Each structure stands twice: as structure tokens, then as C-alpha cells.
Amino acid sequence: MDPMDVQITPSFVKDTQGVPRGQCKQCSCDLYTPGQYSSRCEQCKHPPTEHQHVMDPSENSQVGQQPAFSMSPQPQHSDSASHSEEGGTGAPNSNQLFDPKERPINFYNRHEPYYEFTNFAEGYPFELLGVQWLTSEHYFQAMKFTDSTLQEKVRRLAAPREAFQFTREPQYSQYVRRDWAYVKMDEMRSALFAKFSSHEKLKQLLLDSYPHQLVEHTSNDRFWGDGGDGTGQNMLGALLMELRLQLLQTAKPSDASSVTQLDNSGSCLSFHEHTDEKEHLLDMI
């Protein structure tokens, strides 16, 4: 046989952080295969940290270290301070995802426009990992655990607020995975993609928001939100804009309709009604 015809099977594939990954420690998957919109393995659906860390002989550098995270998703100005809130890795470059000349779209409160963009928004179930999730908050909180029993407990909770509180209960918080800061950005990406791609009306709402910056406007959260004064990292807004760009790149021409007219506060002048439920007070961290 000609040596050129021999197919060499790779022993590892690098994850989104450049860490070489091989066989899965949880199942029979023999090679890590990153997904298109998430770092989870396409073959077994386990996160990269569940795959063996393989040393790359071609590199003589430290691998597997979590890179420092200090990027704000908002446009940088000379008079703005940088932030390094506790958080995951893999932040998108939002300067390419919106037009800073346009007025931002703020979202957070129930009964106000674009509440659907929050993870507490109900009425948009989706399937992920072979099961149904009531909200993206349910999925995100459940993924804090590697134990399938705890994941299922979270999945079956009646409301997103209950899912949020569950992982903070002392008897459960001790089981939160140690690599959560490393994987939580990709878990949020997975949840958002599944949620918005499962509902055409919701996807169109996201597409119609282009090219405005999306901001989760709340003083309760400085990582996922903007801190209420614009000094937070607004990572939920950044990931939504990242998803929006991905959807726009694959959308039909008829899908790219004009953005809804906004008032001076960044809110929509005319929109839709929301269900009568209590406003959520905190976002997920």
C-alpha cells in the first residue's frame, strides 16, 4: 500500500480554548468533535472537559490553562474602565455584531418589550440533549451539574425562578461542577440557539432587532447584564447578538425585515403583550 493512501486517525482535537481533547471519560466516544454552535462534543454531547486532556507533542507550551477574561462586549471608549468580572471564556467580539451609532435595545423586565430575550421568558420550550426544556434558564441551571439525577430535578421544576434558586441551595450548590466558569458561556450558547431556532416568531424578533445593540439592562447583574449603568459586561446581550449574526448569515432575504421603531429610552413604541407573571429580580450567574 502506498504510504500516501494511509489514513491517519487523529488522537485528539482541540477545543475552543485550544486544549487537545481525546476520548470521553463518560462514554465510549473515542474522539472529541466540537459542535457548530457549542463546545459540546457532536458525537456524545458531553462537554470538552469530560474528554481526556491529551498532550500535543507539536507544542511546547502550557495547555489547559483558562485564559483571563476581561473583555467588555460593549464598544470601547477612551473614558471607559475595563472590567474582569468572574465569568467564562469565549466571549464574542460585539464590535462586529451591532452598529454603535444605533440606539441600543434594552430588555429585562416582564411586561416590557423584548422580555422574550431573557432566560426567564416562558412559553418557548425547546429540545436539547434529547429532552424538552421549559426555558433556557432551566437548561442553563441544570448544566451546572454533571449528575444526571440533579439535571433532571432542575429540568422538571415548574418555573425558571425555581431552577435559578435550586442551584443555590446549600444541599445542591456543593455539587456544582468545578469547571463551570470554563463551560458556562458555551452552555448558554447552546440554550440560546436551541430556543431561538425552535420558534420562528422568536427568531424573527431577534433578526428584526439588527443592527441595534442588545443590552440586558439591570443593576442586578454585572456579568450577564450591564450592571444598570453600562459598566457591566452584558454577556447575555453579546451572545444574543452573536447568534443573531449567525442567523442573519443563513436567513432568507425575506427574513431580514426592518427593525421595530424605538423610542428615546431604547424601548419599542408598539409591540406585543406578555403573560401576567411576576417580574424576575435576578438573572442567572
Side-chain angles (χ1 to χ4, degrees):
M1 177 183 293
D2 190 326
M4 297 299 292
D5 294 333
V6 176
Q7 298 296 319
I8 301 177
T9 302
S11 60
F12 66 84
V13 174
K14 291 185 179 180
D15 62 18
T16 55
Q17 304 307 319
V19 180
R21 300 288 179 183
Q23 294 182 337
C24 183
K25 295 177 284 187
Q26 299 293 329
C27 65
S28 59
C29 178
D30 59 359
L31 184 65
Y32 169 68
T33 308
Q36 182 177 7
Y37 296 104
S38 169
S39 65
R40 280 183 172 271
C41 179
E42 278 288 307
Q43 305 298 322
C44 66
K45 307 305 180 184
H46 286 124
T49 50
E50 293 302 317
H51 287 255
Q52 296 286 349
H53 176 189
V54 181
M55 295 304 298
D56 182 357
S58 66
E59 296 182 356
N60 186 25
S61 60
Q62 294 180 336
V63 270
Q65 293 185 347
Q66 180 175 334
F69 178 73
S70 61
M71 177 174 62
S72 167
Q74 299 183 358
Q76 298 297 309
H77 302 285
S78 58
D79 57 348
S80 64
S82 60
H83 302 282
S84 56
E85 297 289 326
E86 176 204 0
T89 58
N93 182 358
S94 290
N95 292 330
Q96 302 174 0
L97 305 181
F98 66 92
D99 185 350
K101 297 178 182 178
E102 299 289 344
R103 187 179 302 118
I105 291 177
N106 295 332
F107 64 92
Y108 182 73
N109 294 321
R110 202 179 300 272
H111 304 302
E112 291 185 3
Y114 298 98
Y115 180 72
E116 295 91 335
F117 289 176
T118 71
N119 289 304
F120 277 56
E122 299 182 72
Y124 303 98
F126 56 87
E127 182 175 329
L128 194 57
L129 301 181
V131 293
Q132 282 282 116
W133 301 89
L134 291 178
T135 68
S136 48
E137 183 71 11
H138 280 80
Y139 174 84
F140 181 78
Q141 296 298 337
M143 291 304 106
K144 288 184 177 180
F145 305 112
T146 57
D147 183 276
S148 60
T149 301
L150 292 177
Q151 290 178 353
E152 186 64 10
K153 281 181 178 290
V154 177
R155 190 182 75 86
R156 290 180 175 273
L157 293 173
R161 169 59 55 191
E162 295 180 35
F164 175 84
Q165 296 293 353
F166 184 93
T167 60
R168 287 157 176 76
E169 295 294 335
Q171 64 267 40
Y172 300 122
S173 61
Q174 60 181 313
Y175 298 111
V176 171
R177 54 194 301 175
R178 294 182 179 180
D179 65 346
W180 181 240
Y182 177 88
V183 302
K184 71 177 184 178
M185 290 287 287
D186 277 324
E187 294 295 5
M188 184 65 79
R189 281 186 174 96
S190 296
L192 295 177
F193 176 76
K195 171 184 173 180
F196 282 85
S197 61
S198 297
H199 300 277
E200 190 61 34
K201 183 178 178 180
L202 190 61
K203 182 177 76 171
Q204 191 61 54
L205 178 63
L206 183 62
L207 292 174
D208 287 350
S209 69
Y210 186 80
H212 294 263
Q213 182 186 19
L214 302 179
V215 179
E216 186 176 47
H217 183 55
T218 173
S219 60
N220 293 325
D221 197 322
R222 297 188 68 249
F223 178 71
W224 295 112
D226 71 342
D229 58 3
T231 62
Q233 297 188 61
N234 186 38
M235 292 313 305
L236 179 59
L239 292 184
L240 284 168
M241 289 184 286
E242 177 186 77
L243 173 60
R244 181 177 65 185
L245 183 60
Q246 292 171 346
L247 294 174
L248 281 169
Q249 291 172 343
T250 59
K252 299 176 183 178
S254 59
D255 292 336
S257 57
S258 60
V259 70
T260 307
Q261 185 180 3
L262 305 177
D263 62 19
N264 291 332
S265 67
S267 296
C268 171
L269 291 178
S270 61
F271 210 64
H272 45 277
E273 297 180 356
H274 298 287
T275 56
D276 185 17
E277 299 179 23
K278 292 182 180 179
E279 173 184 344
H280 71 280
L281 300 178
L282 292 170
D283 267 329
M284 60 294 141
I285 297 177

